[in-house]
Structures are given as C-alpha cells and as structure tokens.
Amino acid sequence: MKLQQLELLVAVVQHGSIRAAARQLHLSQAAITKAMRLLEEEAGVALLERRSRGIDLTDAGRRLVARARIITRQVALARDDLRQTAGGDAGSLRVGITPYVTRAVLGEAFTWFRQRYRNVQLELVDGLVHRVLPRIRDGSLDMAVTIGDTEARLGDEFEVEHIQCMGQCVAVRRGHPVLEAPSAAALVQFEWVATQPMGGDGPSQLSAMFADAGVAPPERVIVCEALQAMVLLRCSDSVAIMLRGSLALPEMQDMVAIDQTTLRPPDVALIRVTRSDVPMTRAGEYFAHCLEQTIRSARLV
C-alpha cells in the first residue's frame, strides 16, 4: 500500500469520480484507474463501486478512506513543517474559527499572518465546537479557535489551550415586547434560537439556565447557524443566549442584553483545539499566535 495510492483514493472520493480527480490532478483517467485497481488487489477487497455518474465506497472503502485522510494530511503537514522550519513560505493550513472571533479580529490577525507567510494556503471554516471536533479528529482541520465550557475537557485526543473566559447574556432585538416586563417566565413564552444542538449527554445550556431560575425550559427552539440566528433575532421576537462582547459589533447594534431577570447564562471559554498526538506546523503556530494576540489586544469579553 503506497502513499500515492492513498492520496489518489482520497482525491477520487473528494471529487466524486475518477474523471474529476484526473482533471484536478492533471493525470490520465487510465493512470488513476490502474492505481485504484492495484490498491484493491493489495487490499484483497473491493473499495470502490463504479456508477454511471461517479463512484460509491464499499464498507471497506469507507474504513480505508477514513484512515487515508489522516495519513495523507499528516504527511502533507510534515512536508510543510520541514520546509517552514528551513525558512520556506509554502504549505496549507485548515482552521476553524468561531463566528464571533471571525467578525471581531480575523481581519487584523490575517493581515499580521500574511506579513510573514504570504504563500501558505488558508482554508477557514466556521468553528462551532460540535462541528470542528470531528474534523480535527479525522484530520480535515488542523486547528480550531472555538467556544467551549470553562472546564474545556475534551479528552486525551485533543490538546486544549485556554485563551480567556467570556461572558454570555440573554439578548433580543431593540423594541422586543418582553423588554416592557422582562422575566424568566415571560421569556420562556417566546421562540429561542440556538447555534448548536440542544441534545447531548446532560441538560442543555438552555435547559440548565431555566432550571436554575426555577422555570421549565422553552418548548420552541430553532437550531441554526450563526448567520441565520443573527437574522432571526433582528427580524422576529426570537430570543438567544449570546456572547456579551458580540453586542459591541457594528452588525449587532440593534440587539440588547436582558439582565433584569433570574436567567444567568454561564461563562464560556475561548479555546484553541488541536490534535494531541502531533505538533502544529510553524505556520500553524504562527497563525494561532496572531489570532490569540489580536484577541487579547482587542480585549474580547
């Protein structure tokens, strides 16, 4: 089993067909087809099922691809790290960043990073914690700056660095009818917006907050992405738990915090998460430095 075969397998799955992978990699379809056939012969099982519009993975193929993605990414990062240690400016970096940090400081941190690494290719995605942890685990993300609980214990497979604590608040749009007489009992009557799944092994943050206030949790909860949550809060009578510091952002100027109730959202932690079993590249370390120093300079709370 050769590294090139695994790289080609990952490419075929990523692009959906041998033809598309060949086009992206500037190889012939025949060369990739031969490499896949030899890989299957060595594996002793079928890995791909050819369809008229592409390929599907067999069960064995899915299992191999999960490992191949980690292997090929780590080899690529090892090459990047060696070049960067020797002073080179090349490679790639995949980072998840929580939306609040993106809106508040990403531009400044990115400008700082580019002064040193002008040619490192960046892939940036929204860094909600429930989304980035599986991707760090499977190797499709190298690092995330995200929001976790203040304990931030994610298991031995992840390296967690605490950046700072951040306060939360209950927030609504200006002019919301609940502002006339805010209370936990009044707020539970409205629809709530959440940017992460409300299930899990224990009570959700929202349910726990209402339980502490002695009120049953709201029955209507919309789970959505950060952008959709912001739009819904502006245009309806929805309610949400938000980072208190986010209300200072220009796009949130029409939102207000409600502090005159017994509802007290817990503080959360801004954390950096990486795999615990491999170091970051030099470029990764520097991008983390740029982000964290910019966050601290901006005094995000």
Side-chain angles (χ1 to χ4, degrees), residues 122-138:
L122 286 176
E123 178 184 327
L124 305 176
V125 301
D126 280 351
L128 299 178
V129 66
H130 68 278
R131 175 174 295 171
V132 299
L133 293 184
R135 293 195 60 183
I136 293 174
R137 182 181 293 115
D138 70 18

Side-chain angles (χ1 to χ4, degrees), residues 185-196:
L187 284 162
V188 79
Q189 304 301 318
F190 292 92
E191 196 162 32
W192 283 67
V193 174
T195 55
Q196 60 184 5

Side-chain angles (χ1 to χ4, degrees), residues 72-171:
T72 56
R73 181 58 182 162
Q74 290 304 317
V75 169
L77 289 174
R79 291 169 176 160
D80 291 350
D81 203 21
L82 291 173
R83 287 194 292 263
Q84 292 161 13
T85 299
D89 176 12
S92 63
L93 183 62
R94 303 168 181 172
V95 184
I97 306 176
T98 195
Y100 174 39
V101 171
T102 294
R103 295 195 296 267
V105 303
L106 176 59
E108 182 178 349
F110 173 76
T111 300
W112 185 0
F113 175 76
R114 275 292 182 241
Q115 291 174 1
R116 179 166 176 179
Y117 289 104
R118 299 182 64 84
N119 298 309
V120 169
Q121 181 181 354
L122 286 176
E123 178 184 327
L124 305 176
V125 301
D126 280 351
L128 299 178
V129 66
H130 68 278
R131 175 174 295 171
V132 299
L133 293 184
R135 293 195 60 183
I136 293 174
R137 182 181 293 115
D138 70 18
S140 58
L141 277 183
D142 306 319
M143 171 179 68
V145 174
T146 187
I147 301 293
D149 62 47
T150 52
E151 299 298 324
R153 296 189 182 96
L154 302 179
D156 294 339
E157 63 184 319
F158 299 112
E159 184 78 21
V160 178
E161 178 177 323
H162 184 282
I163 300 175
Q164 65 184 50
C165 285
M166 310 188 78
Q168 297 191 108
C169 64
V170 175

Side-chain angles (χ1 to χ4, degrees), residues 3 5 8 17 47 64 72 81 95 133 139 147 188 212 243 274:
L3 176 61
Q5 293 172 323
L8 291 176
S17 70
L47 302 173
L64 180 57
T72 56
D81 203 21
V95 184
L133 293 184
I147 301 293
V188 79
D212 289 343
L243 292 170
T274 56

Side-chain angles (χ1 to χ4, degrees), residues 129-298:
V129 66
H130 68 278
R131 175 174 295 171
V132 299
L133 293 184
R135 293 195 60 183
I136 293 174
R137 182 181 293 115
D138 70 18
S140 58
L141 277 183
D142 306 319
M143 171 179 68
V145 174
T146 187
I147 301 293
D149 62 47
T150 52
E151 299 298 324
R153 296 189 182 96
L154 302 179
D156 294 339
E157 63 184 319
F158 299 112
E159 184 78 21
V160 178
E161 178 177 323
H162 184 282
I163 300 175
Q164 65 184 50
C165 285
M166 310 188 78
Q168 297 191 108
C169 64
V170 175
V172 296
R173 64 172 176 81
R174 294 186 187 277
H176 194 291
V178 81
L179 293 173
E180 296 180 4
S183 69
L187 284 162
V188 79
Q189 304 301 318
F190 292 92
E191 196 162 32
W192 283 67
V193 174
T195 55
Q196 60 184 5
M198 300 307 296
D201 297 331
S204 69
Q205 182 184 101
L206 188 58
S207 297
M209 181 181 69
F210 273 93
D212 289 343
V215 177
E219 296 181 357
R220 297 180 297 158
V221 179
I222 301 174
V223 179
C224 58
E225 301 297 328
L227 177 60
Q228 285 80 17
M230 184 172 63
V231 171
L232 292 176
L233 288 170
R234 284 176 169 174
C235 301
S236 72
D237 290 338
S238 301
V239 187
I241 298 174
M242 299 181 62
L243 292 170
R244 187 174 294 275
S246 68
L247 299 183
L249 297 172
E251 60 266 37
M252 303 302 291
Q253 60 185 355
D254 51 354
M255 304 299 299
V256 294
I258 299 178
D259 295 320
Q260 308 88 351
T261 75
T262 54
L263 294 175
R264 293 290 181 266
D267 289 347
V268 291
L270 188 61
I271 55 178
R272 171 161 57 88
V273 184
T274 56
R275 290 176 63 100
S276 62
D277 54 351
V278 290
M280 285 195 295
T281 62
R282 296 300 178 98
E285 291 174 348
Y286 190 67
F287 190 65
H289 170 77
C290 294
L291 274 174
E292 292 166 22
Q293 291 303 310
T294 307
I295 287 167
R296 293 187 174 105
S297 297

